[in-house]
Amino acid sequence: MVLLSVLINTGVLAQSTNHQIAGTIKDTKGQPLVGVNIQLKGTTTGTTSDANGKFLLNVPAIPCILTFSYVGYLRQEQTVGSGMLNVILADDPKNLNDVVVVGYGTQKRKDVTGSIVTVDPQRLDSSLPNNNIAQAMEGAVPGLTVTQSSGGAEGSASIMIRGQRSISASNSPLIILDGIPYNGNLTDITPSDIGSIEVLKDASAAAIYGSRGSNGVIIVTTKKGKSGAPLISFNESYGIDKLSDIPPVLSPQAFYAYKMVRNPGAITPSEQAIYNAGTWTDWEKLATQTGARDQSTISVSGGGDNVKYFTSLNYVDAKGVAVNDNFKRLSSTTTLDINITKWLTFGSSTRLTFDDRSGLPASLTGDYSAFTFNPLTTPYQPNSKTLTVYPWPEDTYYANPLAPTLVDNTNYQYQIYSTNYLEVKLPVKGLSYRINTGVTHSDQNDNSYYGSGTKTGFEDQGEINETADVVNSYTIENLLNYNRTFGKSSIFFTGLYSYEDDITTGTALVATGFPNDVLTIYQANVALHSSNAAAYSKATLLSQMARLNYSYDSRYLVTLTARRDGSSDFGPDNKYGTFPSVALAWNITNEKFMQGINGIDNLKLRLSYGSNGNQAIPPYSTFAQLGQSSYVNGTVTAPGYIPTTLANPLLHWETTNTLNAGIDFGILKDRIQGSVDLYSAQTHDLLLSRTISSVNGISSIYQNIGKTANKGIDIGINTVNVKNQNFSWTSNITFTLNRNKIVDLYGTGKSDTANNWFIGHPINVNFGYKYLGVWQTTDNLASSPQPNTQAGYAKVADLNHDGQIDGPDRTILGSALQPSFTYGFANTFRYKSLSLYAFIQGVQGITELNTTLSDNVNTDVEKNTYVKNYWTPTNPTNDYYANARLLASPIYQPNIYNVGIYQNASYMRVKDLLLSYDFASETIKKLKMRKLTVFLEARDLFTITPFKGFDPELSSASSIPILTKEFLVGVNVGL
Amino acid sequence: MKILTKILICCALIASVPSCKKSVLTETPPQIITADNLYVNYNGFENGLNGLYSLVRRCRSGINSADPTNDIMFEVNVSGVDNSYGNYSGTPYNSWGAASNPAFISYSRIWAYLYQTVDAANTIIGRVPANTNMTDDQKNQILAESRLMRAWCYRHLVNLWGAVPLVLTESTGLTFKTDFTRTPVTGVQAAMESDLLFAEQYLPVTNANDGKVIKGTADHYLAELYLTEKQWAKAKDYASRVTTNPSYALITNRYGVNAANPGTPFTDMFIDGNSDRSQGNTEALWVLQNELNVTGGEGNNIMRRYWVNRYYSLTEKGTDGKATSPFVVTIADGGRGIGRLSPTQFALNLYSPGDDRGSNFAWRFSYAINNPAGIPKGDTLNQVIPVPYNTIEKISNPNWPSTTKWDYANTQNVNVTASYNDQVLIRAGEDYLFLAEADFEMGDLTDAATAINALRTRAHASLVTSSQITLDFILDERSRELFSEEDRRYTLLRTGTWITRTNLHNNITKNLITTRDELLPIPQDVIDANLGKTFPQNPGY
């Protein structure tokens, strides 16, 4: 039998009449595909398509079968005869032969045992010119929530995977950039430089990162070059930002009336004069503007057989919605992959960034916020464009909200982020050694001079404020990899030994008392008073890890991992923690009994159990620190110190054990693909900043106590709803449900009211008195649990019916950070060359404090306040209590318990609408272009929410809790 | 050869890994100071004392260190009392009742501040005895100062809350407590007495360093403690130690920076440049130190801000009926105050004619027009406009007299919020009143009259006879002498007269206080945090 086949084979080869097959390969949009792998089935004969999608292949005989494969597209086989061949490859939303980055290496997706999600490449495509990676991932990864925390020119966001696990340690996932842990800001990574993002969600996937992996891991890899002619891309976008849904404040006339009711004696002559003359000021208009963002990127990638490169240059020029909020960035990324010899590979990825944040924005928050500034004040000197130092002459506490625009501020930051690796293929087959190194250096200088035109400068006779911060990080990783296949079994072993060092140093100078403003920051040596400060912080991490992947016939997969981490943050006897994990997976579709079933294209079951650690307490938390509190002896400083922290030498790793069961599926020829994960995570030895009795002198201490549990379900589904010649519609749906609760605190089963931690409830809850409405004249005021109640007072629930409003009447009022569920729904519609991408995101079941429902104007009504439906005898509403009036006796105080009003803050938001048009390749070929796309985009277009306060998504700690809508237009060119 | 090269390269790479000594993970912070490395020698302990003094200095700044320009720490002692009130709306110290409840954040902050200072004192006191780098004299000096300041904290705690936890050892991360108990008032007072007696023994009579406490300071607080405990003889003993010591003589003549200008000996003591003992103020027993533009000199002192009224908000109508603001902030007018605390009409009417302490050097009864842009029609620049007090006191009233004791502004910024002058915290004048009170309680009215007359002579007021001495008279005299200086609430509570006198003389708080309010409620967070034992609340809350 063997002899016969050999004869037949040689017979076939002996014929050897060369036939040439020529053809073009395009995608469903008609764009040529470069670098497609074309092979004569069953042989090694093959070629790749060129820059125009064309190929030529010599085959021994026709007809023959050619296979076409390309990352991101469904593999095709075609029987080919003579004549020109036109092949169209269809998109593959989830290619199982894709290689997935799993941490310290890659695996084929079908071999993965953990819960890993790849962010849809379209989200990273340069036609979605996102502000930062967090925006690119929003709603695209089930279980991942992104909270925008600032609306400024630069913008920032925080990410959480599968809910909050830790109470006081960080809940941010670990970010790995090009193999090295990345401690910088997400906003510093240009999305168009990114080749792939993988999110590792369960313990097994994250286990290789042991410590810091308990919040999940996000692996970001920069684009790499590909062999072939250089590909040039140019992207340009321009967008405008507008503040929207600003809660209204009282009009100047209404403000005057409000003040006359609340405290008529507090009206000052200057306010009265402005009111009489009608010359009031719209501060919001003066301090805000339409923001703008201009972003350009140019990149080149290419390579030969042994060298591949990718380099890009990116420029951002942004103006925020606050006047004088400017941000400029120039950055470059270069990646090189070089095969020095057959057994030695070198790779490098270097990013250089320069940020210019000069200029202080007008005040939009705090006491000087332009939104709530007293409208009966004067912004400019009479008949001039010079700003007033004191817009309200009778109250010199209030500075001009526009004063920051006068500050001479320069703020520059230089950053280098460079990772380099050397990989050696060792003489033993399948064994390789790799050394990864990473270096980060960041240098930021922020210098301000406050001159006599500002309140600070006027009162201090000029003020210099300088800070210099330097951050250095070094990482060295030694990896040993062993990769072998023995028959049906294959083994993949990884061993790691790594060292990481993070050092932060900073200096600050404050100097006041100058003869004039001429020299600005260059006159610190003649200051009447100056003080310097220096800061230093260093953290070190030393780790060992071993991982073994075993797969039998690509059907049964096992992964075993163990990691041991030592951190300098912990006490001398507790530096190390060990984190093991095990994962199993079963590729059901590869089983013989599944071969006959046509409807199911992919079915995989996964089960994992493992532990991860979290150590994000600040360095030096095990020391009992003294803080500076100095005195004077005459005119001489008498340095003094007082105890400020309590030491806990027993601090150790916070650990999370997670059980994850998942199923990956693909049905109906992969028209519906998805995964469902169920998980249960138990965290113990939580690192808590625990509030203790103030009788101890210091009210808080870090301890390892308590247990929390997170249980939930992540669902992610991709569907191809409609697909025909000219029109297609695909959807991506994500749904996450996470239930977080505190299981135990101090071992006694009791809750801790002082910290708002209650057994059986989420970590983060709102706790306080419950607001029921307003006491009406028709109510039985004498029965009120609040003494001396009058009509118009806030009604507070007396939950224990004891006739008093006190401690036991406080209750849990929902949570702002633990939703019932979150969801994302993305749709892509394509009609010929036009495509529309729409993304909706929603959060359901959160309750937030409505901060606009409080007065916060001070006794003398110094600030404006938000429009409220106040109770009056003729307007007996339950919305809000009466405007506090001044009566001689008894004193009228509608809200002595300071009860806050909490409201449902669930929301659904149309986060993204993107309309883009791809010019057909024939049209643009004349311009020598490979690709030309123009697009229009609208972000955060509208929101549906019952919440009546500030934007429900922006955290209340955000600098500007008002949403900005963004409208962009742009073009992507490929050459 | 190729294989050898490969192996050599691998070895080179592995060797580049840093040594895996465990010491790599040891933290050695260069920028952190701990009690273990500070309190090793005399200088270190002196630094600790400086820290304690800076904490005590916070008693005249805001409750919230994040916002120290508002809510002066011990406002509760001078509001809702017979001779002063809160001149603004919304303060629980005027209305009491439901507004004075355990959730009121100011109570929590005052409590936390006092115990923070106690812990700082305990840290020093606990580490002194074992130290081997100091002489016995040095040790006793450090202990004397720190123990006095610890007693000072408990004085406030026990007066405001009654029975409080008595903590005499430093708190550490491994020994902090969650099961505090309330030590009865007598127990706390016994600890205070022990601390003050030790301090009295080892403190010097005078100290070249103006900010330090001296023997007279301890005598003073002992006299007050014994009066509270009704130990009249001991009170008289310690008060006399001050009144008979020439080092603590009353200021009876003009002196200091303002001597050449019109004024009185009484008011000279409070002028910036006169308050320290080294500047001639022999009467001072404890002076809080502040200094402009010096590190450590920022005390966030808001006495002037609270006691000086808002004269710049006053409006006057001219003959044309139009209202203008005739006054701008000047140094001569005392600087910029927001008038949060004001005298009651009763306090203003206590002075007999000729009493320096009721003169227009001690009080602002009028202002001269100094705003050229705001002269009412019919008036002229520099015209004097009186500030009448012939009606009862009102809330949010800028048109009311204020004391000059805390005047402060500087040429750099006339609107400056904080005060940077050195201020007398306690002085020998009060010890004459302690003496009079002890005498009165023991029946020696003659000696009481002598003590009071010493003060009245200095103030050029008419003298009194022994038949005029009653408890009310002594309390009235205390107001005349110590208005806005003393913790009035404590004085009235220890004499059992807080409710009666406040109801009689304070028209804002009249009939709003009950016996429950004689003690403040224990802050809710203290009760919540006492997980080990229930922390009993004061009655009525």
Side-chain angles (χ1 to χ4, degrees):
Chain A
M1 215 24 227
V2 174
L3 215 57
L4 197 59
S5 58
V6 168
L7 280 171
I8 292 171
N9 279 340
T10 49
V12 167
L13 283 171
Q15 277 194 12
S16 264
T17 34
N18 260 325
H19 294 262
Q20 194 180 70
I21 300 177
T24 317
I25 307 181
K26 295 189 184 159
D27 67 9
T28 51
K29 285 189 255 180
Q31 304 284 8
L33 289 174
V34 182
V36 177
N37 199 354
I38 304 129
Q39 268 198 307
L40 182 59
K41 185 167 178 176
T43 71
T44 53
T45 310
T47 183
T48 53
S49 58
D50 67 8
N52 292 316
K54 293 196 192 322
F55 72 93
L56 282 170
L57 184 64
N58 289 322
V59 295
I62 48 170
C64 62
I65 300 175
L66 293 181
T67 62
F68 300 87
S69 58
Y70 191 47
V71 169
Y73 291 85
L74 289 170
R75 189 184 157 93
Q76 266 196 36
E77 281 182 11
Q78 274 199 310
T79 310
V80 179
S82 55
M84 273 296 282
L85 186 64
N86 280 321
V87 179
I88 296 180
L89 292 186
D91 290 3
D92 174 18
K94 203 163 179 179
N95 187 334
L96 292 172
N97 282 318
D98 261 354
V99 154
V100 171
V101 181
V102 294
Y104 302 116
T106 58
Q107 269 190 311
K108 291 218 182 62
R109 178 175 298 285
K110 61 183 171 135
D111 292 338
V112 164
T113 51
S115 173
I116 300 181
V117 176
T118 307
V119 176
D120 182 358
Q122 180 181 20
R123 295 282 292 171
L124 298 171
D125 193 294
S126 35
S127 61
L128 207 65
N130 297 292
N131 225 356
N132 57 45
I133 294 186
Q135 270 188 346
M137 293 195 287
E138 271 183 311
V141 178
L144 188 143
T145 52
V146 178
T147 316
Q148 301 286 353
S149 50
S150 156
E154 199 176 339
S156 70
S158 63
I159 297 184
M160 214 155 57
I161 298 178
R162 288 189 171 172
Q164 248 191 321
R165 195 136 318 140
S166 177
I167 295 180
S168 62
S170 165
N171 281 292
S172 301
L174 176 67
I175 300 175
I176 307 283
L177 178 59
D178 290 331
I180 300 290
Y182 179 70
N183 297 319
N185 288 319
L186 280 171
T187 48
D188 293 345
I189 309 178
T190 316
S192 55
D193 288 345
I194 301 304
S196 72
I197 300 182
E198 258 85 19
V199 180
L200 315 184
K201 294 191 290 179
D202 69 346
S204 163
I208 37 157
Y209 291 106
S211 73
R212 305 177 294 172
S214 61
N215 292 324
V217 182
I218 300 178
I219 302 184
V220 179
T221 314
T222 323
K223 274 183 184 148
K224 294 192 188 301
K226 286 200 197 43
S227 300
L231 298 173
I232 301 176
S233 296
F234 172 72
N235 307 312
E236 164 69 44
S237 75
Y238 180 80
I240 57 171
D241 295 318
K242 280 177 135 34
L243 280 173
S244 67
D245 301 327
I246 306 172
V249 293
L250 297 173
S251 70
Q253 296 93 320
F255 171 75
Y256 181 83
Y258 168 83
K259 189 161 178 170
M260 287 301 278
V261 167
R262 192 130 173 159
N263 191 351
I267 294 266
T268 57
S270 71
E271 287 175 291
Q272 186 70 54
I274 293 175
Y275 178 74
N276 293 339
T279 53
W280 39 71
T281 308
D282 185 351
W283 285 101
E284 178 195 311
K285 200 149 143 199
L286 289 176
T288 59
Q289 60 185 5
T290 302
R293 180 183 321 276
D294 193 346
Q295 181 158 358
S296 320
T297 312
I298 181 163
S299 69
V300 183
S301 78
D305 288 324
N306 288 322
V307 179
K308 297 188 189 58
Y309 64 90
F310 169 82
T311 182
S312 78
L313 192 65
N314 176 281
Y315 179 69
V316 176
D317 187 349
K319 289 213 295 272
V321 289
V323 163
N324 209 34
D325 185 6
N326 302 317
F327 176 70
K328 290 191 193 30
R329 161 173 291 156
L330 184 63
S331 67
S332 82
T333 306
T334 307
T335 62
L336 274 175
D337 291 281
I338 304 176
N339 298 332
I340 300 176
T341 70
K342 269 212 292 273
W343 48 270
L344 191 64
T345 314
F346 168 77
S348 169
S349 170
T350 302
R351 299 178 43 247
L352 301 170
T353 314
F354 168 68
D355 292 326
D356 180 356
R357 299 181 179 92
S358 302
L360 296 182
S363 306
L364 294 187
T365 55
D367 275 337
Y368 306 145
S369 163
F371 294 117
T372 51
F373 207 78
N374 185 337
L376 302 175
T377 49
T378 322
Y380 298 105
Q381 313 258 7
N383 303 321
S384 133
K385 275 292 172 190
T386 319
L387 292 174
T388 51
V389 173
Y390 301 114
W392 188 4
E394 288 93 342
D395 195 336
T396 57
Y397 170 76
Y398 288 93
N400 198 320
L402 300 173
T405 60
L406 295 176
V407 175
D408 197 327
N409 170 264
T410 57
N411 186 342
Y412 300 127
Q413 182 177 19
Y414 298 86
Q415 292 184 80
I416 300 170
Y417 184 86
S418 181
T419 68
N420 301 282
Y421 73 87
L422 205 56
E423 185 157 341
V424 182
K425 286 198 178 35
L426 295 171
V428 178
K429 179 170 180 213
L431 190 65
S432 66
Y433 167 80
R434 176 170 166 138
I435 178 163
N436 272 346
T437 61
V439 169
T440 309
H441 173 85
S442 156
D443 198 331
Q444 181 166 23
N445 281 294
D446 188 353
N447 300 330
S448 304
Y449 181 79
Y450 295 80
S452 54
T454 65
K455 172 178 146 90
T456 313
F458 179 71
E459 291 176 359
D460 290 340
Q461 288 177 348
E463 176 172 312
I464 292 178
N465 215 311
E466 288 184 2
T467 60
D469 293 298
V470 176
V471 180
N472 288 312
S473 297
Y474 313 100
T475 310
I476 299 180
E477 294 174 341
N478 296 279
L479 288 151
L480 203 62
N481 285 310
Y482 182 67
N483 214 328
R484 275 302 287 280
T485 309
F486 306 96
K488 284 198 176 176
S489 307
S490 71
I491 295 183
F492 178 28
F493 170 81
T494 308
L496 166 79
Y497 187 94
S498 88
Y499 169 83
E500 185 184 328
D501 220 353
D502 298 296
I503 303 169
T504 311
T505 57
T507 55
L509 166 71
V510 178
T512 56
F514 299 106
N516 55 52
D517 292 338
V518 175
L519 285 175
T520 65
I521 58 167
Y522 300 100
Q523 55 183 344
N525 56 335
V526 296
L528 280 180
H529 173 56
S530 76
S531 72
N532 299 59
Y536 174 89
S537 165
K538 177 173 161 165
T540 311
L541 196 66
L542 199 59
S543 318
Q544 302 100 38
M545 185 273 288
R547 173 179 63 193
L548 182 65
N549 288 312
Y550 172 78
S551 113
Y552 179 75
D553 198 22
S554 280
R555 280 185 286 148
Y556 309 111
L557 313 160
V558 179
T559 306
L560 296 164
T561 317
R563 178 154 175 150
R564 178 169 179 264
D565 283 301
S567 164
S568 59
D569 294 344
F570 294 119
D573 297 325
N574 295 298
K575 302 252 186 218
Y576 283 95
T578 310
F579 307 102
S581 83
V582 59
L584 306 163
W586 179 20
N587 264 327
I588 302 180
T589 32
N590 286 349
E591 292 284 0
K592 284 204 177 47
F593 62 77
M594 289 294 289
Q595 302 293 15
I597 300 176
N598 271 335
I600 300 180
D601 303 294
N602 175 38
L603 191 61
K604 177 170 169 189
L605 287 178
R606 291 179 277 105
L607 188 66
S608 76
Y609 184 75
S611 79
N612 304 106
N614 193 345
Q615 110 280 25
I617 46 169
Y620 318 127
S621 300
T622 56
F623 291 88
Q625 300 181 28
L626 298 178
Q628 268 197 23
S629 186
S630 296
Y631 204 54
V632 267
N633 183 351
T635 55
V636 175
T637 305
Y641 300 95
I642 52 174
T644 51
T645 70
L646 294 172
N648 185 357
L650 303 177
L651 284 176
H652 54 276
W653 291 96
E654 178 180 297
T655 311
T656 303
N657 295 321
T658 313
L659 179 68
N660 189 91
I663 179 167
D664 298 327
F665 62 89
I667 55 177
L668 304 176
K669 286 209 188 5
D670 274 343
R671 277 187 71 150
I672 301 182
Q673 292 183 337
S675 13
V676 179
D677 279 84
L678 285 151
Y679 62 90
S680 167
Q682 315 286 332
T683 310
H684 63 92
D685 282 341
L686 283 137
L687 285 162
L688 304 176
S689 174
R690 171 184 169 183
T691 300
I692 55 177
S693 178
S694 53
V695 181
N696 287 301
I698 295 170
S699 304
S700 68
I701 181 174
Y702 271 112
Q703 286 193 323
N704 285 95
I705 25 181
K707 296 192 174 80
T708 64
N710 272 290
K711 293 185 184 18
I713 179 167
D714 288 339
I715 301 175
I717 299 181
N718 305 309
T719 60
V720 178
N721 304 316
V722 176
K723 193 163 154 139
N724 53 39
Q725 179 79 349
N726 285 328
F727 179 72
S728 77
W729 172 24
T730 61
S731 301
N732 175 311
I733 304 161
T734 63
F735 178 85
T736 310
L737 193 140
N738 181 63
R739 293 284 174 265
N740 166 269
K741 75 173 186 206
I742 299 177
V743 174
D744 188 33
L745 283 170
Y746 308 122
T748 57
K750 287 209 282 206
S751 301
D752 186 343
T753 315
N755 287 289
N756 286 357
W757 296 329
F758 302 97
I759 309 283
H761 291 271
I763 293 166
N764 233 290
V765 290
N766 302 316
F767 183 71
Y769 295 117
K770 189 165 169 170
Y771 175 75
L772 293 177
V774 183
W775 285 99
Q776 306 294 338
T777 45
T778 49
D779 288 333
N780 181 3
L781 296 173
S783 69
S784 160
Q786 176 186 336
N788 304 320
T789 304
Q790 297 186 47
Y793 276 24
K795 203 183 270 191
V796 179
D798 175 19
L799 294 173
N800 60 357
H801 303 291
D802 64 348
Q804 273 185 316
I805 305 289
D806 51 11
D809 293 315
R810 295 172 300 170
T811 181
I812 295 175
L813 303 158
S815 169
L817 293 174
Q818 296 292 339
S820 304
F821 58 86
T822 61
Y823 56 92
F825 187 39
N827 289 291
T828 312
F829 303 93
R830 197 162 282 138
Y831 177 69
K832 293 193 184 165
S833 297
L834 197 64
S835 82
L836 176 68
Y837 174 81
F839 174 55
I840 296 174
Q841 183 198 45
V843 174
Q844 185 67 30
I846 49 173
T847 311
E848 284 182 16
L849 177 66
N850 187 342
T851 48
T852 63
L853 288 181
S854 63
D855 285 322
N856 196 25
V857 295
N858 299 341
T859 314
D860 294 334
V861 193
E862 296 157 11
K863 295 186 281 195
N864 204 344
T865 185
Y866 296 98
V867 171
K868 297 182 230 359
N869 187 11
Y870 288 101
W871 181 96
T872 66
T874 48
N875 176 30
T877 176
N878 260 330
D879 284 350
Y880 192 76
Y881 37 91
N883 186 3
R885 301 197 291 282
L886 197 63
L887 291 178
S889 173
I891 292 153
Y892 187 89
Q893 290 180 39
N895 190 9
I896 51 169
Y897 300 109
N898 255 313
V899 58
I901 300 175
Y902 290 86
Q903 293 176 336
N904 181 3
S906 309
Y907 66 91
M908 180 161 83
R909 171 164 289 158
V910 177
K911 271 209 118 38
D912 226 327
L913 275 178
L914 173 70
L915 187 66
S916 63
Y917 183 80
D918 296 305
F919 286 86
S921 53
E922 292 83 36
T923 336
I924 54 178
K925 236 191 325 197
K926 294 174 212 145
L927 300 164
K928 299 246 195 287
M929 289 187 199
R930 185 175 38 93
K931 162 178 140 103
L932 180 64
T933 309
V934 295
F935 62 88
L936 283 171
E937 184 182 7
R939 293 190 56 84
D940 297 325
L941 198 54
F942 66 87
T943 311
I944 301 173
T945 177
F947 190 62
K948 300 217 179 13
F950 286 107
D951 186 82
E953 179 188 359
L954 297 174
S955 58
S956 52
S958 136
S959 58
I960 308 171
I962 300 174
L963 195 65
T964 46
K965 287 192 180 130
E966 215 176 329
F967 300 96
L968 295 119
V969 61
V971 61
N972 298 323
V973 178
L975 297 168
Chain B
M1 204 43 213
K2 262 199 167 163
I3 292 172
L4 194 59
T5 327
K6 287 192 201 179
I7 294 173
L8 281 171
I9 292 179
C10 294
C11 291
L13 291 168
I14 291 169
S16 65
V17 172
S19 71
C20 41
K21 286 207 292 283
K22 199 169 178 186
S23 62
V24 140
L25 295 177
T26 312
E27 288 181 310
T28 49
Q31 86 291 10
I32 283 182
I33 194 162
T34 66
D36 287 334
N37 57 28
L38 179 69
Y39 295 130
V40 294
N41 57 23
Y42 180 67
N43 272 337
F45 281 99
E46 274 288 321
N47 290 149
L49 281 180
N50 290 336
L52 252 190
Y53 280 107
S54 79
L55 281 174
V56 167
R57 182 175 59 181
R58 275 189 65 199
C59 69
R60 284 191 171 168
S61 86
I63 276 178
N64 185 358
S65 48
D67 175 24
T69 59
N70 285 310
D71 296 315
I72 197 169
M73 187 72 72
F74 291 109
E75 188 177 344
V76 65
N77 292 341
V78 285
S79 188
V81 291
D82 58 348
N83 62 354
S84 53
Y85 72 103
N87 193 352
Y88 65 107
S89 80
T91 163
Y93 309 130
N94 279 345
S95 53
W96 298 93
S100 174
N101 57 64
F104 181 44
I105 191 138
S106 292
Y107 295 153
S108 171
R109 290 193 167 127
I110 301 172
W111 176 285
Y113 157 69
L114 289 166
Y115 273 106
Q116 179 190 19
T117 314
V118 164
D119 183 50
N122 285 336
T123 308
I124 297 173
I125 295 169
R127 288 166 185 264
V128 164
N131 187 282
T132 51
N133 289 328
M134 295 197 288
T135 66
D136 280 342
D137 281 343
Q138 288 174 327
K139 284 189 183 182
N140 287 330
Q141 175 234 316
I142 304 281
L143 278 175
E145 289 183 55
S146 47
R147 288 183 75 170
L148 188 147
M149 286 192 267
R150 179 168 72 185
W152 178 89
C153 296
Y154 279 113
R155 170 180 175 266
H156 284 294
L157 282 165
V158 92
N159 273 302
L160 290 174
W161 283 284
V164 290
L166 184 64
V167 180
L168 299 172
T169 51
E170 133 184 25
S171 297
T172 71
L174 295 173
T175 63
F176 70 87
K177 289 168 66 129
T178 55
D179 57 353
F180 290 103
T181 52
R182 299 183 63 174
T183 305
V185 172
T186 45
V188 179
Q189 287 174 332
M192 283 169 62
E193 183 182 358
S194 160
D195 279 344
L196 288 169
L197 286 172
F198 182 93
E200 206 274 348
Q201 183 182 1
Y202 290 105
L203 285 173
V205 173
T206 60
N207 193 324
N209 183 333
D210 282 320
K212 294 262 187 188
V213 294
I214 48 184
K215 199 184 283 287
T217 323
D219 290 326
H220 176 106
Y221 282 121
L222 277 164
E224 190 193 35
L225 178 63
Y226 289 129
L227 283 176
T228 315
E229 293 177 331
K230 303 202 184 327
Q231 298 197 51
W232 314 119
K234 284 196 185 166
K236 175 166 174 159
D237 173 17
Y238 283 95
S240 304
R241 293 187 194 203
V242 173
T243 59
T244 55
N245 191 334
S247 294
Y248 305 139
L250 291 178
I251 298 291
T252 48
N253 297 313
R254 301 296 313 283
Y255 81 104
V257 300
N258 204 34
N261 298 326
T264 66
F266 176 77
T267 51
D268 272 344
M269 277 189 285
F270 302 99
I271 295 177
D272 185 10
N274 283 352
S275 316
D276 290 306
R277 293 188 61 83
S278 65
Q279 291 163 339
N281 188 359
T282 53
E283 196 170 327
L285 294 178
W286 195 353
V287 182
L288 297 178
Q289 304 289 307
N290 298 296
E291 199 70 29
L292 183 63
N293 286 335
V294 174
T295 302
E298 176 61 78
N300 289 307
N301 185 306
I302 48 176
M303 289 294 275
R304 181 257 303 128
R305 179 170 161 83
Y306 261 55
W307 286 103
V308 168
N309 215 335
R310 291 181 286 127
Y311 54 92
Y312 48 87
S313 299
L314 286 175
T315 55
E316 293 289 326
K317 279 215 178 80
T319 49
D320 58 353
K322 284 213 189 100
T324 60
S325 289
F327 311 110
V328 289
V329 175
T330 59
I331 299 179
D333 285 322
R336 186 170 182 274
I338 59 175
R340 285 279 194 262
L341 295 167
S342 289
T344 55
Q345 188 191 33
F346 162 73
L348 293 166
N349 285 328
L350 277 174
Y351 298 95
S352 49
D355 190 336
D356 285 348
R357 302 167 299 182
S359 69
N360 54 10
F361 295 106
W363 295 92
R364 288 252 151 57
F365 292 123
S366 63
Y367 291 93
I369 296 183
N370 59 10
N371 181 12
I375 307 178
K377 191 141 175 86
D379 293 339
T380 58
L381 200 59
N382 298 322
Q383 179 168 337
V384 171
I385 310 282
V387 175
Y389 54 100
N390 46 12
T391 58
I392 59 166
E393 59 273 11
K394 291 199 296 272
I395 291 207
S396 290
N397 182 12
N399 198 7
W400 193 252
S402 54
T403 176
T404 62
K405 287 181 184 174
W406 314 111
D407 286 357
Y408 175 82
N410 58 48
T411 48
Q412 180 181 313
N413 178 10
V414 76
N415 286 312
V416 66
T417 307
S419 296
Y420 294 94
N421 55 331
D422 300 337
Q423 289 179 356
V424 173
L425 184 63
I426 50 168
R427 57 187 172 91
E430 188 174 1
D431 292 89
Y432 289 82
L433 291 157
F434 287 153
L435 184 56
E437 190 179 327
D439 280 331
F440 167 77
E441 294 290 349
M442 291 194 293
D444 188 350
L445 300 179
T446 321
D447 203 54
T450 312
I452 292 201
N453 281 331
L455 293 174
R456 293 183 74 92
T457 311
R458 180 264 290 277
H460 302 116
S462 55
L463 302 181
V464 295
T465 64
S466 56
S467 56
Q468 289 171 276
I469 305 295
T470 62
L471 183 60
D472 275 325
F473 184 86
I474 295 177
L475 293 171
D476 289 349
E477 191 69 24
R478 285 186 66 95
S479 178
R480 285 187 277 268
E481 176 77 23
L482 303 167
F483 179 81
S484 76
E485 292 177 72
E486 63 157 338
D487 292 313
R488 188 69 175 174
R489 181 187 162 92
Y490 302 167
T491 308
L492 296 180
L493 282 173
R494 78 155 184 271
T495 52
T497 55
W498 180 56
I499 296 183
T500 44
R501 282 183 69 104
T502 307
N503 280 340
L504 261 179
H505 303 304
N506 184 325
N507 291 294
I508 307 291
T509 311
K510 195 192 278 277
N511 297 328
L512 294 178
I513 48 178
T514 68
T515 44
R516 175 200 83 158
D517 299 307
E518 285 180 344
L519 289 176
L520 299 183
I522 304 287
Q524 187 64 43
D525 59 85
V526 174
I527 296 181
D528 288 342
N530 217 48
L531 301 170
K533 280 201 178 84
T534 326
F535 199 95
Q537 177 56 276
N538 279 332
Y541 291 105

